[in-house]
Every structure is written in C-alpha cells, then in structure tokens.
C-alpha cells in the first residue's frame, strides 16, 4: 500500500472488522486508520484513531471539524458496520445495513468531492443470493436481485444494501463489494470471537437435542477462515486496479454436510444426527416449539445446493502466491480444538461415530 494513506473503517471492532484492521496494520507504509465507533473503548492498537460517530446518522454523527478533516484526507473506506443477527426484525436491520450504508456512501461522496478518495470497499455477504443458495445453480459475482426471495431479514437487508451501492456506483463512486461466505475461526489457530452460525448448531447436537435434521448429506458448504477472509479482502482492495468489482470470498474447496458433521461428531464425541430429505420432514411433528426456535435460523445453511462463482476473486490472485487453504481434517481439528478450549462445546472423553 502506498505511503501516506488515510483509511476510514466502520465496524472495526466486529468479528471480521477486527481481523481486517490487523491485516491493514501489518502492511508496509506510513498511513493512518480512523475507526468509527459509537462509543469509544480505546483501540488498543497503534495507528488506529477512534472517532465517535454513528452510521445511522447523517454525516455519520460527526461534528463539523472532524467531518471537514476526514473528508479532506480519507482516500480509502472500508464499510463493515452491520447487524448480522438472523433473528432481528427487518426494520432494525434496514436501519443499519441499508440506511447506514447510504450514510457511509454520502460521506464517501463528500470525500470524493474533496479530491482524495480513491475507493470504497463494501463488505456484504455471499448470502445476498438468498433462496437461490437452496437450488442447484451457480451464483455469479455480479448476480444480485433476481427475485430469489430470502431466508431471513439479514440476507434481504444486505441485498438492499448492495442495491444502494450500485446506485452510488452510477453517481461516480468506485466501490468494490466483497461477499464472504460463512466465516469460521482463524486458519492458523482456530481463534474466533463469534460462535454463531455453524458453531451454534454443533453445540445443540453435542447436547443430544436433535436426532434428525431436515437436510441432505451431500449438500456443500461455502466456508472461509477468518484470517484468510481478512487477508483476501486486504490484498485485493490494496493491490487491484479494477473498478466497481464484486468478489465472492469463499473457499474454492466445498465440503459436504456429512463430512463436516462426521468430523465434528468424532471430535466432540456426540452422535451425528440422521439426515432426512426436507420434503419428508415435518418440522412441526418432529420438533417442539422450543427446538424449532433453536434450529430454524440455521436450517437454510444446512441446505446448500448452489456454488458461488469466484472468477473475479481468483483472477485478482492470478500470478500471486495467495492460497485458499482447504477445509480438511487438519483445518477442522484446529477449529474444533479452539472451540473446546474456549468451553463453547464440551468434548466427551470418547468419540462416538454417528
């Protein structure tokens, strides 16, 4: 990254945001990072300057002096601030994921008009594909609103956020979109601060709460390690000269649900649930209301069928030594070891192979 860069980032204290900041700090160059936070807690990292603000407010809630300073110096923006909870009502999700995105892009327009801003990097999700991910198809990086419907308000709000991005692209902003898949712990050591998504249902299974799940064993997962996702986004955003690109940030190596749950059940020592075709599974007869509430948010992500095209992403790395690690036994073992060490899932003394 060239010297004297000034980077503005939202969501820096979040799961992916924190990892991305660490990657940015590891790059060479004399540059400053400004992190927008709703309440200052002390960045604890050199070269990170916390700025009090709020993406849901006009001008990001910044005072005039701070706004003038930033719009005159910022030349790269990373927008990660978002609500990711699958159970939130759509109105709450839109306030942050759509309206907040618009406010960040309005701020970006001010930066561009001052003459320094080069690019905005918007972090979205591969699951703007919505219910297309439940069908056998190939989701292209430029696909967005195809009338697909959504599994939850989070997916819908992120799709609407990308539609907002496309409008600002037409207004002259250079905005790259990055769409991570499901993010698990770091490849190097399994560390994670977020035990949602694939970890949470594993916790339920380890407690023996679900003997059967409505999902085919052969469906594939589109996963990515936290540090790998951060490295990929950082590398592409700082080195690519392409404009207005969209990148799927997932592992090119897909895995079956059966393999994933077999690895987990053997490591943690629980009985692997039986896979039942969705059309033969009556969730209202099989599960109590409490169990339905526990597992329903995760069922769409156990019923993958689509593959995510990575033409743009792999093209950005052509000729470079960047490698997406495989989700193999070694990768999952590291992830599960940290999960057990953190106490999120208790490992039984002996394994039970389901």
């Amino acid at each position: 990254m060239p010297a004297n860069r000034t980077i503005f980032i939202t969501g820096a204290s979040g799961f992916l945001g924190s990892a991305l900041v660490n990657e940015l700090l590891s790059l060479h160059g004399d540059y400053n990072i400004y992190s927008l936070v709703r309440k200052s807690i002390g960045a604890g990292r050199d070269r990170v300057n916390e700025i009090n603000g709020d993406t849901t407010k006009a001008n990001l809630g910044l005072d005039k002096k701070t706004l003038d300073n930033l719009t005159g110096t910022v030349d790269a923006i990373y927008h990660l601030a978002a609500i990711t909870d699958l159970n939130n009502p759509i109105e709450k999700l839109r306030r942050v994921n759509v309206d907040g995105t618009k406010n960040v892009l309005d701020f970006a327009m001010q930066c561009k008009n001052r003459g320094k801003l080069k690019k905005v990097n918007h972090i979205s999700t591969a699951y703007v594909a919505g219910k297309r991910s439940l069908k056998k198809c190939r989701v292209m990086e430029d696909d967005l609103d195809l009338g697909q419907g959504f599994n939850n308000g989070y997916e819908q709000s992120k799709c609407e956020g990308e539609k907002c991005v496309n409008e600002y692209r037409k207004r002259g902003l250079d905005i790259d979109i990055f769409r991570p898949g499901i993010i698990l712990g770091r490849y190097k050591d399994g560390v994670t601060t977020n035990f949602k998504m694939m970890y949470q249902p594993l916790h339920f299974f380890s407690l023996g709460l679900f003997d059967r799940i409505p999902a085919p064993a052969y469906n594939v997962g589109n996963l990515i390690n936290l540090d790998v996702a951060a490295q990929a986004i950082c590398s592409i955003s700082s080195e690519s000269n392409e404009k207005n690109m969209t990148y799927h940030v997932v592992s090119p190596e897909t895995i079956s649900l059966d393999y994933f749950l077999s690895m987990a059940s053997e490591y943690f020592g629980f009985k692997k649930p039986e896979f039942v075709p969705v059309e033969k599974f009556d969730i209202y007869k099989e599960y109590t209301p409490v169990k339905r509430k526990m597992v329903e948010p995760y069922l769409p992500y156990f019923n993958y069928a689509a593959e995510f095209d990575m033409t743009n992403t792999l093209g950005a790395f052509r000729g470079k030594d960047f490698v997406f690690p495989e989700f193999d036994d070694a990768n999952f073992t590291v992830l599960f070891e940290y999960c057990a060490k953190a106490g999120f899932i208790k490992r039984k003394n002996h394994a039970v192979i389901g």
Side-chain angles (χ1 to χ4, degrees):
M1 181 175 287
N4 301 316
R5 294 291 301 272
T6 299
I7 297 171
F8 182 82
I9 182 169
T10 71
S13 62
F15 181 46
L16 177 57
S18 181
L20 183 60
V21 168
N22 287 336
E23 285 300 317
L24 291 169
L25 290 174
S26 71
L27 293 178
H28 62 84
D30 180 18
Y31 58 96
N32 295 313
I33 297 179
Y34 289 92
S35 168
L36 187 76
V37 295
R38 293 187 65 177
K39 183 179 180 181
S40 179
I41 56 174
R45 288 176 286 199
D46 293 338
R47 291 185 289 156
V48 176
N49 307 285
E50 287 188 344
I51 302 294
N52 290 325
D54 187 339
T55 61
T56 66
K57 296 181 179 179
N59 290 325
L60 307 182
L62 300 172
D63 60 72
K64 187 178 185 305
K65 180 179 179 181
T66 302
L67 183 66
D68 287 345
N69 176 57
L70 289 174
T71 55
T73 58
V74 167
D75 51 22
I77 295 173
Y78 291 81
H79 176 44
L80 293 91
I83 295 177
T84 60
D85 193 320
L86 303 180
N87 293 315
N88 270 291
I90 187 65
E91 294 79 14
K92 182 177 180 180
L93 289 158
R94 280 179 173 143
R95 186 163 179 262
V96 175
N97 298 352
V98 184
D99 298 341
T101 295
K102 181 181 183 301
N103 290 335
V104 170
L105 296 177
D106 283 337
F107 168 79
M109 287 296 296
Q110 295 184 61
C111 295
K112 178 179 173 61
N113 292 338
R114 295 286 296 275
K116 284 209 68 179
L117 182 71
K118 299 297 189 298
K119 182 169 287 191
V120 179
N121 302 284
H122 174 72
I123 312 305
S124 184
T125 173
Y127 298 100
V128 295
K131 291 186 177 180
R132 288 189 71 207
S133 64
L134 306 180
K135 302 175 183 178
K136 272 195 171 296
C137 67
R138 191 169 185 83
V139 179
M140 307 305 291
E141 287 163 304
D142 292 332
D143 289 347
L144 185 56
D145 188 355
L146 302 177
Q148 63 265 38
F150 301 96
N151 296 299
N152 48 63
Y154 168 68
E155 293 179 351
Q156 181 177 346
S157 68
K158 293 299 283 186
C159 179
E160 292 174 2
E162 281 200 29
K163 291 170 76 172
C164 181
V165 166
N166 286 336
E167 289 301 313
Y168 279 78
R169 281 173 166 176
K170 294 175 184 176
R171 293 174 58 181
L173 282 181
D174 180 8
I175 312 171
D176 282 349
I177 298 172
F178 295 89
R179 295 174 176 170
I182 292 179
I183 303 176
L184 301 181
R186 294 192 307 215
Y187 176 71
K188 67 177 182 179
D189 54 15
V191 169
T192 179
T193 58
N194 186 345
F195 288 105
K196 296 179 182 178
M197 291 308 294
M198 304 305 274
Y199 293 97
Q200 186 64 63
L202 287 184
H203 175 63
F204 297 151
F205 299 156
S206 74
L207 298 176
L209 298 176
F210 297 90
D211 295 325
R212 289 153 50 96
I213 57 173
Y218 59 80
N219 274 6
V220 298
N222 295 277
L223 310 174
I224 190 75
N225 292 106
L226 173 62
D227 47 352
V228 178
Q231 290 161 13
I233 293 170
C234 190
S235 176
I236 294 173
S237 64
S238 61
E239 296 176 14
S240 174
N241 293 318
E242 300 289 338
K243 294 181 179 293
N244 293 318
M245 299 292 287
T246 300
Y247 301 94
H248 281 149
V249 185
V250 300
S251 172
E253 191 80 20
T254 58
I255 62 157
S256 71
L257 180 60
D258 181 58
Y259 170 68
F260 172 69
L261 289 185
S262 292
M263 280 290 301
S265 65
E266 291 175 19
Y267 183 86
F268 291 108
F270 64 80
K271 183 179 179 181
K272 183 176 67 177
E274 177 187 350
F275 300 109
V276 181
V278 175
E279 64 273 12
K280 296 182 179 180
F281 193 95
D282 188 335
I283 195 169
Y284 293 96
K285 290 183 179 179
E286 293 269 355
Y287 296 158
T288 65
V290 171
K291 287 186 177 181
R292 286 202 305 272
K293 186 175 181 180
M294 292 170 68
V295 77
E296 274 186 319
Y298 306 104
L299 291 180
Y301 306 101
F302 278 163
N303 281 274
Y304 294 114
E307 293 186 9
F308 292 92
D309 180 77
M310 297 182 68
T311 299
N312 294 342
T313 304
L314 296 179
F317 289 120
R318 191 170 294 117
K320 301 179 181 178
D321 58 2
F322 186 91
V323 176
F324 285 93
E326 293 184 18
F327 275 92
D328 54 13
D329 290 12
N331 194 340
F332 279 120
T333 297
V334 171
L335 295 172
F336 295 154
E337 282 178 348
Y338 181 80
C339 191
K341 181 180 178 181
F344 187 74
I345 300 178
K346 184 178 180 181
R347 189 180 188 191
K348 295 181 175 63
N349 291 331
H350 61 279
V352 177
I353 302 176

